[in-house]
Every structure is written in C-alpha cells, then in structure tokens.
Amino acid sequence: MQSTQERKKSTGAKALLPNYSADLKKYDELYQQFCKSGYTKELCEAYAEAFLNNHKKPAPEDLVQIVRLYQRLHEKSSAEFYLNQLEERKLSGDDKFFYCIEALRYKSLYEHWRESEDFRTENINFMQIHSEKVDASKRADMYISLALTDCAAKHYEQALKLLSNFGYKPQGATDLKLLEIMITGVYILAKSGNKEELEGAKENAYGYLKLFSFDNDWSKAYYENCIEEAAEGIL
C-alpha cells in the first residue's frame, strides 16, 4: 500500500482543496492499519468505505489502489468490480499508466491469454513512453505485468528474459520490488513446468527474504506465503 508520505508527494494541486487535510488524515489511519495488520479484507472494505463507495466519481488513484489491494488477496470479483469502473473512465498520464498495469496483470492472471495480449497491443506504445516519466519501482511494475502477459500466452522463456533484462537496479541491500520480481519469476517457472529451475528460483527468493528486517509481525510470513503460492502457480 502506498505510504502516507508517498500519497502527499503525488497529490499535486489537490492539496489546495478544502477537504484535503481531512482526507489525508483518513488515509493515514488506513495506512497505519495496513502497517499493523497487512493486506486484509477489512483494510480493503475500510478503504472502499472511506474513498470509493460514497463518492459519485472516485479518484482514479483510489480505484487503482483498491484493485491492487484486492489482487493481493486474490479477490478476483472485487478487483474486477473496481477495474471496470476505471475502464469506463477517460484516463491520461499517470492515471492511465497505473490502470494499464493493473488491468494487464488482472487479464494475464484471470482471463484468456488473448485478452491480455490484445490489451498489451492496444496500450504498449503509451506504456513504454510514459514509463520514462515514472520512478524505477513503477517502471518495474510495468515490466512485471508485461512478463505476466507473455506467461499467460505460454511464452515462458520470453517472460523470464523480460524480467531479468529490463535493467532494474535494486534500491539498497534489501528491496521489496526486487523480491516481487523474484517471486514473479518463481510463478512463471511454476507455470512453465520447469521443476529444476523452479526449485533454484524458490531458494533464491527465500535467501533474499532472509536479508530483510521488518518492523511488523506480518510481512515476513506474508512474503513467505507469496513464494509458496507462486511455486504452486498462484500470484
């Protein structure tokens, strides 16, 4: 979940709105709930209640984030519900870019492979151009979603090459985005049926996870579960 500080940085002109401080306080309460308990259905429901359900036109960034949170929980129908709301909007810039990432991920994991390939073909030029305007972590999210599209089409070698060759540079000795890339690699290998390389990738992900020192009680168990699920073909 995006931190309160990250949300403040991305607010722009919205900081001038009269309800901005109250909304930021509500958001911080949700973020503190996330820090304490992690990805939970209760968090998703509270987020939706605070920023989506009672709003005639929810902010695109809130729709993107609720889709991301529900996908973390494998809540397919809830993720689809909010993704459809985004699909109906005329988006541009960051809003469109982040929507494309989540839509591509969803279609690659839950729909027929042709759906994800057609969506990629339709949006790839925009995504690649706009990726130069975002930070390395968001650019990595794009390549993860593109690799999942290749995986859905059973182009496993191409998917793995894309993950390893797009040039992500870790941010420090421990980097959660790099761990997510490694877990995605485990998932792709599980889907490919390459059991030998799968075991090696799984060991590497566990080895990297051991380097982390978390400030909460849930993160280590959460990422351990992510590795195990990825090895079973669940992401």
Side-chain angles (χ1 to χ4, degrees):
M1 183 177 180
Q2 186 182 47
S3 71
T4 307
Q5 195 62 32
E6 288 170 331
R7 188 174 177 95
K8 285 178 70 174
K9 285 181 181 178
S10 64
T11 323
K14 291 182 182 179
L16 301 175
L17 297 174
N19 60 343
Y20 173 74
S21 295
D23 282 348
L24 191 64
K25 183 179 179 181
K26 280 194 297 184
Y27 185 89
D28 188 57
E29 289 172 356
L30 291 167
Y31 181 66
Q32 296 308 318
Q33 181 179 339
F34 166 73
C35 291
K36 182 180 179 181
S37 303
Y39 298 99
T40 64
K41 193 169 183 179
E42 291 74 19
L43 172 67
C44 292
E45 290 171 349
Y47 192 102
E49 185 65 24
F51 291 102
L52 300 164
N53 295 346
N54 297 316
H55 292 67
K56 186 175 181 180
K57 194 174 182 181
E61 60 265 30
D62 288 319
L63 287 166
V64 166
Q65 181 145 231
I66 198 71
V67 169
R68 188 175 298 138
L69 291 172
Y70 272 122
Q71 287 203 72
R72 291 276 190 174
L73 297 174
H74 312 308
E75 291 275 352
K76 178 180 180 291
S77 60
S78 296
E80 182 181 31
F81 174 77
Y82 291 108
L83 196 59
N84 286 341
Q85 292 186 41
L86 275 165
E87 190 175 5
E88 296 167 0
R89 305 275 284 271
K90 290 183 179 180
L91 303 174
S92 60
D94 283 353
D95 291 334
K96 182 177 179 180
F97 181 73
F98 299 143
Y99 158 68
C100 286
I101 288 172
E102 296 308 318
L104 201 52
R105 178 185 175 91
Y106 178 89
K107 293 175 185 297
S108 299
L109 294 177
Y110 299 121
E111 295 186 353
H112 190 274
W113 64 270
R114 178 61 69 185
E115 293 284 339
S116 55
E117 286 212 327
D118 288 348
F119 187 87
R120 178 177 62 184
T121 299
E122 183 180 346
N123 293 284
I124 188 62
N125 287 340
F126 164 77
M127 293 177 74
Q128 289 181 327
I129 291 170
H130 195 80
S131 70
E132 299 303 317
K133 302 177 183 179
V134 299
D135 63 30
S137 178
K138 297 302 181 186
R139 197 153 47 246
D141 287 336
M142 180 188 76
Y143 281 104
I144 288 172
S145 69
L146 293 173
L148 290 174
T149 304
D150 285 332
C151 180
K154 299 185 179 181
H155 300 149
Y156 303 119
E157 285 190 23
Q158 190 172 318
L160 291 168
K161 283 181 180 178
L162 186 59
L163 273 187
S164 58
N165 294 339
F166 74 86
Y168 182 74
K169 295 180 181 179
Q171 309 298 303
T174 54
D175 181 357
L176 283 176
K177 189 58 62 181
L178 178 58
L179 181 60
E180 289 180 18
I181 293 169
M182 296 173 78
I183 292 171
T184 305
V186 171
Y187 168 81
I188 294 169
L189 285 166
K191 286 295 188 179
S192 75
N194 189 332
K195 293 183 179 180
E196 185 176 340
E197 289 193 25
L198 170 61
E199 287 305 312
K202 187 177 172 182
E203 280 185 31
N204 288 340
Y206 267 114
Y208 189 54
L209 179 58
K210 287 179 181 178
L211 300 178
F212 285 77
S213 296
F214 294 106
D215 296 329
N216 54 59
D217 297 328
W218 62 268
S219 287
K220 183 180 179 182
Y222 169 77
Y223 285 107
E224 286 175 342
N225 186 59
C226 285
I227 295 169
E228 289 298 324
E229 287 189 330
E232 295 172 5
I234 302 168
L235 194 65

